[in-house]
Amino acid sequence: VRRLSASAYEDLRRCPYRFFALRQLGLQEAEELEGEVDKRDFGLWLHEVLSTFHEALKAAPAHDLPSRIAMLDVAAAQATLTRGLGQDEFLPFAAAWPQMRDGYLDWLAQHEATGARFEEAEAWQEQPLGEITLIGRIDRIDQCAASDSASAQALLIDYKTEALAKSRERVRRPLEDTQLAFYAALL
């Protein structure tokens, strides 16, 4: 193994046998052909929506809520079309979208009120570490507010579309989650 991602490293931490089988032997589960939209599809869709939204917001800043709602909805429609997600299959996720969108925009307003600002979405990073290169795509990088520009710090944000209980457990035991620490090492 010469290139190591956060998920590969997580496999190594949790189950060295799984790491060996998947990453060194290259064994994979046979994928079944499915037409159903699942949580993974939703997660990929959401990443695309938020990336498109923040890049558009960076290019044409809008601070009023109606404009931001419209921008997010345009990004959502674009991602749905780009990913070829049928309305019927995507309906359960589309039904939850307005509440999720509004919650996200509430959080974003509070986040920006601290002086944080969006820098980059879906940022590909590589970091040599001896004979291994750490690799990964960081969902979002923000710049935290600072009293002077020399002390400004990057804030890494990793979007999750998991159950709230799982997120709470992740926060409760932060040393067990390697993903953000791995991404920090990439920077």
Side-chain angles (χ1 to χ4, degrees):
V1 175
R2 296 281 181 227
R3 296 168 62 80
L4 191 64
S5 68
S7 58
Y9 184 65
E10 185 69 16
D11 284 345
L12 179 59
R13 282 189 71 213
R14 293 192 188 270
C15 181
Y17 176 77
R18 177 179 172 81
F19 175 84
F20 179 75
L22 294 177
R23 312 300 174 164
Q24 291 187 279
L25 295 179
L27 302 177
Q28 299 291 324
E29 287 184 39
E31 298 229 1
E32 292 185 33
L33 295 176
E34 289 184 19
E36 289 184 26
V37 175
D38 60 15
K39 286 184 80 171
R40 181 173 173 9
D41 294 315
F42 176 68
L44 294 171
W45 174 86
L46 185 61
H47 277 74
E48 185 174 333
V49 168
L50 294 176
S51 175
T52 300
F53 167 73
H54 282 290
E55 293 295 344
L57 194 58
K58 187 176 183 179
H63 300 288
D64 63 294
L65 187 57
S67 294
R68 287 184 167 201
I69 288 172
M71 291 174 79
L72 254 177
D73 285 343
V74 166
Q78 180 182 334
T80 303
L81 187 62
T82 303
R83 296 201 162 271
L85 301 172
Q87 279 188 326
D88 55 341
E89 294 175 312
F90 199 62
L91 184 60
F93 301 108
W97 172 242
Q99 184 178 0
M100 181 182 292
R101 177 202 61 210
D102 295 349
Y104 182 79
L105 288 174
D106 287 345
W107 170 83
L108 183 60
Q110 293 171 28
H111 178 64
E112 290 174 336
T114 69
R117 63 177 166 54
F118 169 80
E119 283 294 315
E120 193 173 3
E122 303 299 327
W124 179 257
Q125 301 288 325
E126 295 187 17
Q127 181 68 31
L129 184 65
E131 294 180 16
I132 295 175
T133 300
L134 304 180
I135 60 170
R137 185 173 315 280
I138 299 172
D139 294 350
R140 180 169 155 187
I141 303 173
D142 281 10
Q143 216 37 255
C144 292
S147 55
D148 60 70
S149 61
S151 63
Q153 293 183 342
L155 173 68
L156 306 181
I157 298 176
D158 188 57
Y159 301 128
K160 297 292 184 201
T161 56
E162 62 193 13
L164 182 57
K166 187 171 183 179
S167 293
R168 285 191 174 137
E169 180 65 17
R170 185 185 303 276
V171 171
R172 191 177 73 74
R173 298 176 36 183
L175 297 178
E176 292 302 312
D177 184 41
T178 59
Q179 193 171 22
L180 285 175
F182 189 93
Y183 289 165
L186 282 171
L187 293 181

